[in-house]
Amino acid sequence: MSNNINRSLIGNILKSIRVEKNIPMKKIASALKVSESTVSQIETGKNSATKEKINEICHVCGCSFDYKTDRKIG
C-alpha cells in the first residue's frame, strides 16, 4: 500500500511542478520519449516513474526533486 501512496505523492508533486511552471504535458512526454497518456499515468500515480524519468521531468521543468523514491515506510 505504501508504494501506491509514494507513487501518488510523487505524481502529485510532479504535476504541481509542471502546472506551476506552465509546461505542457506534450513537452514532458517528448522529453521522456513516451506518450502523454503515460505522463498522465505517472502524475496520477497509476504508473510509477524511474528515478531517471523523475530527474528528466524535473530537468525539463527547471527544478530538482529531493524526495527519496526508494525509501521504505515502516
Side-chain angles (χ1 to χ4, degrees), residues 6 9-15 17 51 54-59 62-69:
N6 286 344
L9 176 61
I10 291 167
N12 284 334
I13 292 168
L14 293 172
K15 181 177 182 177
I17 292 167
K51 289 179 188 180
I54 291 170
N55 288 334
E56 184 63 29
I57 291 169
C58 290
H59 177 74
C63 65
S64 63
F65 193 86
D66 295 329
Y67 186 83
K68 292 183 180 182
T69 57

Side-chain angles (χ1 to χ4, degrees), residues 11-57:
N12 284 334
I13 292 168
L14 293 172
K15 181 177 182 177
S16 294
I17 292 167
R18 180 182 64 76
V19 170
E20 182 179 304
K21 302 270 186 173
N22 200 26
I23 297 172
M25 194 179 291
K26 185 174 187 170
K27 184 173 182 175
I28 302 293
S30 177
L32 297 178
K33 296 180 175 70
V34 298
S35 68
E36 289 181 57
S37 175
T38 298
V39 175
S40 175
Q41 290 173 355
I42 291 170
E43 290 182 350
T44 59
K46 293 179 183 172
N47 202 348
S48 60
T50 63
K51 289 179 188 180
E52 292 79 15
K53 292 220 185 286
I54 291 170
N55 288 334
E56 184 63 29
I57 291 169

Side-chain angles (χ1 to χ4, degrees), residues 2-3 5-6 67 70-74:
S2 66
N3 194 25
I5 293 169
N6 286 344
Y67 186 83
D70 59 347
R71 72 181 182 158
K72 302 277 186 242
I73 297 177

